[in-house]
Structures are given as C-alpha cells and as structure tokens.
Amino acid sequence: MTIELPTREIGLPIPNISHAVSVSLPTWEATVGYEENQEWVVNKMNSGYPRFFIHERIKELSLLLEQKYGRQGEKSFIFPSYKVAKRCRNFIKEQSENKNLKCSSIRILQLSTKAPQNKNEESVIVETNIAVLFFPEDEYKYAKQYWQHSGEGISSRQGEYCLRELSLEFSKEEEAIFGQEEEKDKDKDNDNDNQEENKFIEERFGRNLDLSFAKEANSILRKRISAQINEIIESEKKFSKNIEVKDEEFISENEVYLYSSGMASIFHAHQAILNCYPQGKSICFGFPYVDTLSILRKFGPGVLFYGFGDDKSLDEMEDKLDKGEIKIMALFCECPSNPLLKMPDLKRIKKLAKKHDFLVVADETVGNFLNIHILSFVDICVSSLTKIFSGDSNVMAGSLVLNPAGDNYLRLKKYFEENYENNFWCEDCIYLERNSRNFKERNFNMNKNAESIVELLKEDELIKEIYYPNLVESKRYYEEFRTYSGGYGGLVSIIFKKSEDAKKFFNEVELFKGPSLGTNFSLACPYSILAHYQELDEIEKWGVDRNLVRISIGLEDKEELISRFERALEITRKVSATK
C-alpha cells in the first residue's frame, strides 16, 4: 500500500468520506484547542469520532423530528429501538436524581420507515424502526453521556437513510394538504441528483449496496469470526503447546453477537452480568479505554479500579478477596491495554474467578483474536470491529463472543437468547462484511510493519520508553496467549525524554492524525491529551504520561513508512539540540 500524504486540514473526516470514523487533528496544538473548545478548532470540525461527535445527517434528522413532534424547549436523541431509548431515559432520570434535580417529562416516540413493496425495492428499501427520545434541553448532557458511553445510538448511515425516507414521507403529507406539486417535483429532482451522485461514488469504489443481502452479510460475519477463532484453536492443538485448548471450546456463529460499536458490546456484557447475577461491584483491572471505566462507574453498583493491572495489583486483589473485604460480580480487562499495551495474568485471574465466583470479561480489540487466543480463560470476549477487523475506518461495529466451555455459559446464553436485539444497521453490516474479507492478510502485514517501526524507535536517543507487547514487563503473559502465527499487533505508544520533543515529532511526522486505531493507514494521536485532557494529573498516577504519543501502524510500504519516521525524528533531534 502506497503511503498517502495526510491532510493538514483541521476537522476533515479520515478518510475523506461522509461516514468516516476518524477526524483530522493534525497538530498537537489543534488537539489541545479541540479539548479546550477553542473556536479556531471547533468551528472547523465537520466530522468526528461517531460516539463523541453527532453526525450531520443525524443532527438533521433530530431537527426534523423536533420540528414535527417536539414540544417547546425539548431536544432529542435517536436510537434504533424502544428498549435502547428506554435505557437512555432511565439513565437520564438516575443522573438527575443523583444530582438532586427534578427530572422532567421524558417521552419516547416510535417511528417506522416504509417497507419494500416488491422484489425490486428490496435492494434499496428496508423497513426500519427508530425510537426518538424527547427530553428537556437542560438534560441534554445526560443523554449525550448515554450516547457516548453505551455506543447504542443510531449509526450515521441509518440516520441518513431515515432522514431521506422520513423527509419524503413528511413532504407527501404536506403536499396532500397544500397541493404543492411544484415543490414536489423540485424535491424529487434534488433527490434524484443526490441518488445519482451516491450511486456513482458507490460504483466507482465497487461498493454499491444491495440491502437485500444484509441478513446474509450478518450471518457471514458471525461465521467468519467463529471460523477464524476455531482455526486458531485447531492450529494451537496441532502446532503449539503454548495454549491449552479443548474440543468443547470450538464455537459456532451462535456464540457470536454483533453490535453497533465496540462500546455497545462492552455495555451489553455488563448489562448481561447485572441481570444474570447478584449485583455487586466490578473490578476494572488495568488502565482501560476511558468509556469502559465510565460504563462500570455509571451503570450498576460501581467499580473498584486497579489501574496498574500488574502482579502487585493482583496480589492486593487476591488478598482482599480471600479476607472477604471485597465481593465482586465481574472483572473487566483489556488484552493488551490501550494505550500502555500491558497484558494481565489471565490464567491467575481465571483461578481467582473460579474460587471467588465472579465473571471475567476481556476486551481483545488491541490484541485481536488472530494474535492472541484468550477465549478459554474468560466468560465473555468483546472487541471493537471498527478497528483492524474493518480497517477501512468507515463503519462502527462490535462483537461479543461467549466461551462455550465457560462455567457461566448456560446462564449467559439464556440471557442473550431472550434479550439480544440485532440493532446493527443493514448498510453498516454489508460494509463490514466486505471490509473484513482480508482481515488475516492485513493483520499479518500490520504486525510486520509495527515490528519494524518499533526496532527503529528502540535505537533513537530521543525516546525514553516504548510501550509494545513484546517490550513491556507483562510480555510473558502476552506470550502465554500468543497464537502460533500471531504477532504483537499494530499499536505502539512512545514517551519522549522531553515533552517538547514529543510535540515536535508529532507535528512533523507525516501520518494521518486523529482518534481510532487499527486503520489500514497509519494514524497517530497525543493520546493522553485527546482522551484525558481534564484529568492529566490523575492518569499520571497510573503511569500514563501526559505527553504519550500513540501510533497505530498501517499497511503502507514499510520502507517509505520508516523513511517518514526517520525524517520526523531527525527534525526533532536538530530542534532539540538547539534548546
């Protein structure tokens, strides 16, 4: 893959398409400006990471529905089902009550788009339901928190589809009343122009969608995930003595559940445990991605945070469990963690879980199931399919996989059979199926590219520390779960000796810069600034440097990628020497 010249424009989507997952924050200063809500940055933000930035089509749909159905002083959020909207309503009420505020009326309106009328329409029309949550404007922040933490909001493609369909429907209602035929023809012409433009773009990139294939795509995705996990299990049985696996650990597509985002899969793992087991606090083991901790803090009885996620933390946890000082229902961890790439001692955690009767949920987004096989040692394995499984950075998705050989399997399976809602939007499903066809090849190449960059960085005098699974102290635990053909992933975090060197390097390195990881193109961000700007002192207590630079290595030509890193390091070195 030839390396692209990254955009230097603030706020442009990455890649430059309407449903991109990442957004350009090309300098350290722009990232700070974004976090501080400075006008020179936020006024240029035409896009953003979907759980944090409401897509323009979704905003338009909300405005349309507020104008048609809203009351004075109300705002709205749109969800893919009544159950999701109800959970958001309950969250808003709980947050208001916790602040001793009077919770005003919150309404849920259910709407449907039309169903296809014949076979021909099935390729372009799908009946879909949405639930619109109306609430007083002063409770907007709580609704937005639910949208961000749970990852359950409608996707930008679903918003775009519903906007088009409902706009047409509402226009017809008005035309029937006012007889505005001229406006109808004008709108029809505009709609045709937009459809032709979209059709051209789709066909130009071989991405024309046939919505009638959505159910098939959903099944293919679940079979693909289960088949690839089973291939790993089979290869470990044949070629490796590293990971002990049993025949009952083979999974079917029925153990795989798809969600509209990685956070939604974590959220529903937590919801399942809350509903299936006696409620108690959870443990967050290791410093996690920010919203994982938010879910554990804000939903249910709360969380005990063991932020270092090391052997000493495990000793302390075990001691308190043995003495009865704490009783927990679940332990959540990342394998390895983002951004410090630490791997927990899962084998010891599993023994403790069995002894003290709690569940283990592991997020393997960063490691991914081709590089590490952890399912045997957890009850639930979750992942953001938005990342390397997709690679194209144009669709949000998540997966939740049950361990069929786990002690808690039957109870969890019963819960999901009775409560799982497939809210994964059909167009997103089709995109993800296409994107993930070459997942194994891309994973192999990303591993190799990342290892080459790590070797380069290891030799540079500017750098104080590199976080990568085969360099950190917990390497031995990663190796216990690394598959026969697996590597160490594409994520690298680096700390410079001087904070100014970190900023200079970041500004100079010719890579795309913005949130997300696992993209086919390399992507960098000043992670602590972007994810924890309001708590930089706090995260440093857990070993996360405020000037940490996180880089997700992509599929570019290795030599050209190395050259770009060398150039940025050389410029940084020269500037640093003059200070």
Side-chain angles (χ1 to χ4, degrees):
M1 175 179 173
T2 302
I3 194 167
E4 271 188 82
L5 284 173
T7 178
R8 301 291 294 181
E9 294 292 323
I10 294 171
L12 287 183
I14 307 175
N16 194 14
I17 57 175
S18 60
H19 300 289
V21 166
S22 191
V23 60
S24 176
L25 290 167
T27 64
W28 196 284
E29 294 76 15
T31 309
V32 172
Y34 172 74
E35 292 298 327
E36 293 182 347
N37 206 34
Q38 296 177 16
E39 289 186 2
W40 70 277
V41 178
V42 295
N43 288 349
K44 297 177 182 178
M45 298 298 291
N46 298 314
S47 183
Y49 196 78
R51 286 188 302 99
F52 293 84
F53 185 94
I54 311 300
H55 194 277
E56 290 302 318
R57 299 292 82 77
I58 297 177
K59 289 180 183 177
E60 290 177 33
L61 179 60
S62 286
L63 182 60
L64 176 70
L65 297 174
E66 288 164 10
Q67 290 171 344
K68 188 166 181 67
Y69 300 111
R71 298 170 183 168
Q72 185 71 27
E74 284 186 332
K75 300 294 288 182
S76 68
F77 266 86
I78 306 167
F79 296 99
S81 77
Y82 175 79
K83 288 183 178 180
V84 179
K86 186 178 177 181
R87 282 193 288 270
C88 183
R89 180 177 65 186
N90 292 341
F91 178 78
I92 294 173
K93 289 182 176 180
E94 288 172 4
Q95 295 304 305
S96 296
E97 290 168 2
N98 290 341
K99 301 290 191 301
N100 293 318
L101 300 174
K102 182 180 179 181
C103 188
S104 305
S105 173
I106 303 176
R107 303 183 296 122
I108 299 174
L109 172 68
Q110 297 184 77
L111 296 172
S112 298
T113 63
K114 71 173 186 177
Q117 301 300 306
N118 51 56
K119 275 289 182 183
N120 290 335
E121 286 192 350
E122 287 181 359
S123 63
V124 293
I125 293 176
V126 59
E127 182 178 17
T128 184
N129 302 312
I130 56 172
V132 190
L133 189 73
F134 291 100
F135 50 86
E137 189 171 3
D138 59 2
E139 291 171 349
Y140 179 88
K141 63 179 180 180
Y142 299 132
K144 181 65 161 43
Q145 285 176 21
Y146 186 88
W147 178 283
Q148 176 185 325
H149 300 329
S150 74
E152 289 198 290
I154 62 169
S155 77
S156 57
R157 287 190 181 88
Q158 186 172 7
E160 184 176 70
Y161 180 87
C162 291
L163 176 64
R164 182 176 69 247
E165 292 298 309
L166 292 176
S167 294
L168 289 171
E169 184 178 323
F170 296 161
S171 296
K172 289 175 182 177
E173 290 176 4
E174 293 175 0
E175 288 152 13
I177 297 173
F178 299 108
Q180 298 173 342
E181 293 299 326
E182 186 176 340
E183 286 297 316
K184 176 182 177 180
D185 292 339
K186 183 178 178 182
D187 290 343
K188 185 176 179 181
D189 289 341
N190 289 337
D191 288 335
N192 287 338
D193 289 344
N194 291 336
Q195 287 174 7
E196 287 300 316
E197 180 181 357
N198 289 336
K199 182 180 178 183
F200 169 77
I201 293 171
E202 296 293 339
E203 291 182 351
R204 166 68 177 80
F205 294 99
R207 295 283 180 160
N208 43 314
L209 303 184
D210 186 333
L211 300 185
S212 65
F213 291 150
K215 287 185 179 179
E216 182 182 357
N218 190 290
S219 176
I220 289 171
L221 282 167
R222 290 183 291 114
K223 287 177 180 176
R224 180 170 297 154
I225 292 170
S226 60
Q228 290 178 344
I229 291 174
N230 288 338
E231 285 180 21
I232 293 297
I233 294 174
E234 192 63 50
S235 67
E236 293 306 309
K237 289 180 67 177
K238 287 183 178 179
F239 304 116
S240 174
K241 296 179 180 178
N242 201 31
I243 305 171
E244 295 181 9
V245 291
K246 304 172 184 177
D247 287 341
E248 55 265 33
E249 293 171 7
F250 285 96
I251 69 171
S252 74
E253 64 179 292
N254 296 321
E255 274 77 60
V256 180
Y257 298 87
L258 298 181
Y259 290 94
S260 55
S261 68
M263 288 315 304
S265 66
I266 296 171
F267 178 79
H268 279 280
H270 187 237
Q271 287 290 304
I273 297 168
L274 283 174
N275 282 279
C276 288
Y277 298 87
Q279 285 202 14
K281 288 189 175 183
S282 296
I283 280 178
C284 182
F285 193 77
F287 191 88
Y289 178 70
V290 57
D291 282 310
T292 298
L293 193 54
S294 295
I295 286 172
L296 301 180
R297 280 175 172 163
K298 295 183 180 182
F299 299 88
V303 62
L304 304 172
F305 185 37
Y306 288 80
F308 291 114
D310 55 10
D311 291 345
K312 185 177 179 181
S313 300
L314 207 49
D315 291 340
E316 180 185 341
M317 187 185 92
E318 182 175 14
D319 183 60
K320 289 187 175 183
L321 286 167
D322 287 343
K323 291 179 179 178
E325 295 178 9
I326 59 173
K327 173 69 176 176
I328 63 171
M329 66 175 184
L331 180 147
F332 287 73
C333 61
E334 296 178 347
C335 298
S337 64
N338 174 20
L340 298 181
L341 287 303
K342 291 183 178 180
M343 187 74 179
D345 185 353
L346 270 185
K347 291 184 177 180
R348 184 178 170 192
I349 288 172
K350 182 180 180 181
K351 290 178 181 177
L352 287 174
K354 194 171 185 68
K355 179 179 179 182
H356 293 283
D357 194 26
F358 62 85
L359 285 80
V360 181
V361 180
D363 180 353
E364 47 82 282
T365 298
V366 173
N368 88 63
F369 56 77
L370 295 183
N371 289 327
I372 55 173
H373 180 67
I374 61 172
L375 187 60
S376 305
F377 289 83
V378 303
D379 295 284
I380 302 175
C381 191
V382 295
S383 185
S384 173
L385 304 180
T386 307
K387 309 305 191 297
I388 185 174
F389 187 79
S390 170
D392 277 348
S393 190
N394 64 0
V395 61
M396 295 280 285
S399 65
L400 182 155
V401 181
L402 300 179
N403 175 8
D407 294 336
N408 298 286
Y409 171 73
L410 292 178
R411 192 183 299 187
L412 290 170
K413 181 63 178 172
K414 184 176 185 294
Y415 172 84
F416 283 102
E417 285 180 346
E418 294 174 353
N419 295 278
Y420 173 73
E421 277 192 306
N422 179 17
N423 292 324
F424 190 28
W425 177 240
C426 56
E427 292 173 294
D428 296 322
C429 189
I430 294 170
Y431 266 87
L432 184 63
E433 190 281 316
R434 291 177 174 179
N435 292 353
S436 61
R437 290 175 185 176
N438 62 349
F439 171 40
K440 289 201 291 189
E441 177 186 349
R442 288 186 290 106
N443 179 65
F444 177 83
N445 290 329
M446 281 185 187
N447 287 341
K448 294 301 180 185
N449 273 358
E451 288 176 27
S452 297
I453 295 300
V454 167
E455 288 302 312
L456 170 68
L457 297 173
K458 280 167 58 177
E459 304 301 321
D460 200 280
E461 61 191 23
L462 297 173
I463 294 174
K464 176 182 178 181
E465 192 159 6
I466 302 170
Y467 297 101
Y468 195 58
N470 71 341
L471 296 179
V472 295
E473 186 178 351
S474 61
K475 174 186 176 181
R476 63 189 183 280
Y477 299 133
Y478 189 96
E479 292 293 353
E480 286 179 349
F481 296 96
R482 186 160 68 94
T483 63
Y484 181 73
S485 58
Y488 300 101
L491 199 65
V492 184
S493 294
I494 52 179
I495 307 295
F496 285 80
K497 293 175 182 176
K498 300 178 183 178
S499 61
E500 290 306 312
D501 290 349
K503 297 170 186 176
K504 184 63 178 176
F505 171 82
F506 180 80
N507 288 346
E508 291 294 335
V509 67
E510 291 182 315
L511 302 174
F512 285 99
K513 292 158 189 179
S516 200
L517 58 93
T519 47
N520 293 338
F521 47 87
S522 295
L523 185 62
C525 72
Y527 181 82
S528 300
I529 300 296
L530 188 61
H532 298 280
Y533 189 68
Q534 304 303 324
E535 49 184 7
L536 293 174
D537 291 338
E538 177 65 22
I539 67 170
E540 285 195 330
K541 296 177 184 177
W542 302 107
V544 183
D545 191 281
R546 66 182 59 216
N547 296 306
L548 181 146
V549 177
R550 192 191 72 179
I551 303 172
S552 175
I553 304 299
L555 299 175
E556 298 92 345
D557 175 78
K558 183 177 73 173
E559 297 307 319
E560 194 170 356
L561 193 58
I562 289 173
S563 175
R564 298 212 172 195
F565 273 80
E566 288 177 334
R567 175 186 172 278
L569 288 167
E570 182 60 27
I571 292 173
T572 305
R573 195 175 295 110
K574 288 179 179 179
V575 172
S576 183
T578 64
K579 294 182 179 180

